[in-house]
């Protein structure tokens, strides 16, 4: 069965280092990129008053179309970017309200592409992704870190990853 992959870009800028770091990967492997900046979704709301924003239609279309979700984020303050974190927080809607949609995440693959100006990153960076995948019933299949200043070598690195 075909394993359809998507890169979900979460950066404060759509043409920054994270976007550049995934451009060659996306082209080489023909993987579609979804830029979270093109969608409007707000912080998690305990009262679910924001269920009509872009989050639900976006995650539903991702679930329908793809088997592997590759989250691409810069390192901001030792963590994933703010927009990526807000996107992850909204998964709570899938656990508390839109449960049927949430269940459809089960069995899908999750992966991460991070970047900063360093060659490597502490592996604890990936724990929130690993644990979230686990909680959602997804398979965490690994993360890679790219140095934004040495993006030319990314093609070689990515071979191990996909
Ligand atoms: C708000 C902010 C916080 C950052 N925090 C870190 C950090 O904790 N560690 C690090 O190595 N780099 C940090 N950086 C550098 C970014 O990881 C790096 O510049 C990255 O390539 C930016 O990608 P972007 O262009 O997609 O935003 C930070 C940059 C910003 C803007």
């Amino acid at each position: 069965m075909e394993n359809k992959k998507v890169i979900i870009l979460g950066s404060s800028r759509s043409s920054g280092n994270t976007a550049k770091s995934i451009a060659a990967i996306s082209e080489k492997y023909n993987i579609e990129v979804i830029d979270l900046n093109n969608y409007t979704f707000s912080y998690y709301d305990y009262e679910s008053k924001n269920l009509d924003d872009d989050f639900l239609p976006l995650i539903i279309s991702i679930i329908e179309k793809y088997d592997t979700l590759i989250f691409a984020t810069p390192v901001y303050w030792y963590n994933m970017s703010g927009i990526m974190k807000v996107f992850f927080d909204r998964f709570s809607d899938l656990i508390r309200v839109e449960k049927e949609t949430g269940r459809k995440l089960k069995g899908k693959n999750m992966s991460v592409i991070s970047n900063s100006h360093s060659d490597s990153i502490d592996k604890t960076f990936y724990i929130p992704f690993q644990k979230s995948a686990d909680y959602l019933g997804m398979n965490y299949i690994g993360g890679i870190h790219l140095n934004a200043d040495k993006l030319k070598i990314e093609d070689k690195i990515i071979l191990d990853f996909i």
Side-chain angles (χ1 to χ4, degrees):
M1 201 181 72
E2 198 190 353
N3 177 356
K4 291 180 82 178
K5 305 177 186 84
V6 64
I7 296 174
I8 299 167
L9 168 65
S11 164
S12 280
R13 48 183 185 176
S14 296
S15 305
N17 293 334
T18 312
K20 285 181 196 136
S21 75
I22 58 174
I25 296 164
S26 153
E27 196 177 323
K28 182 173 177 184
Y29 293 96
N30 198 21
I31 302 176
E32 198 184 326
V33 176
I34 292 175
D35 180 356
L36 293 180
N37 286 326
N38 292 334
Y39 300 86
T40 301
F41 53 90
S42 55
Y43 302 126
Y44 175 70
D45 178 2
Y46 277 92
E47 295 175 9
S48 304
K49 287 183 181 158
N50 56 355
L51 284 186
D52 59 351
D53 69 12
D54 288 346
F55 174 74
L56 269 178
L58 174 59
I59 195 68
I60 287 169
S61 81
I62 289 172
I63 288 171
E64 277 172 3
K65 284 196 202 156
Y66 305 106
D67 309 298
T68 296
L69 281 48
I70 305 168
F71 292 96
T73 178
V75 178
Y76 288 168
W77 289 101
Y78 314 100
N79 216 316
M80 70 180 82
S81 66
I83 191 168
M84 187 66 86
K85 181 60 166 59
V86 172
F87 190 72
F88 266 78
D89 283 357
R90 293 295 298 274
F91 283 143
S92 294
D93 288 330
L94 307 181
I95 289 159
R96 296 180 178 181
V97 186
E98 299 288 331
K99 298 181 188 179
E100 202 181 315
T101 301
R103 280 193 281 272
K104 292 181 185 155
L105 283 167
K106 283 201 176 101
K108 294 195 182 284
N109 301 316
M110 182 193 295
S111 188
V112 182
I113 301 173
S114 54
N115 85 93
S116 68
H117 298 288
S118 306
D119 283 340
S120 62
I121 191 173
D122 195 305
K123 62 180 187 305
T124 55
F125 178 87
Y126 301 104
I127 288 177
F129 294 97
Q130 288 165 337
K131 294 209 172 209
S132 300
D134 204 34
Y135 193 88
L136 295 164
M138 299 175 72
N139 311 308
Y140 182 79
I141 58 170
I144 53 158
H145 185 76
L146 303 176
N147 184 331
D149 305 316
K150 301 180 186 171
L151 291 178
K152 295 264 180 281
I153 59 169
E154 72 203 3
D155 280 20
K156 208 167 143 222
I157 297 170
I158 203 72
L159 288 178
D160 302 328
F161 164 63
I162 291 197

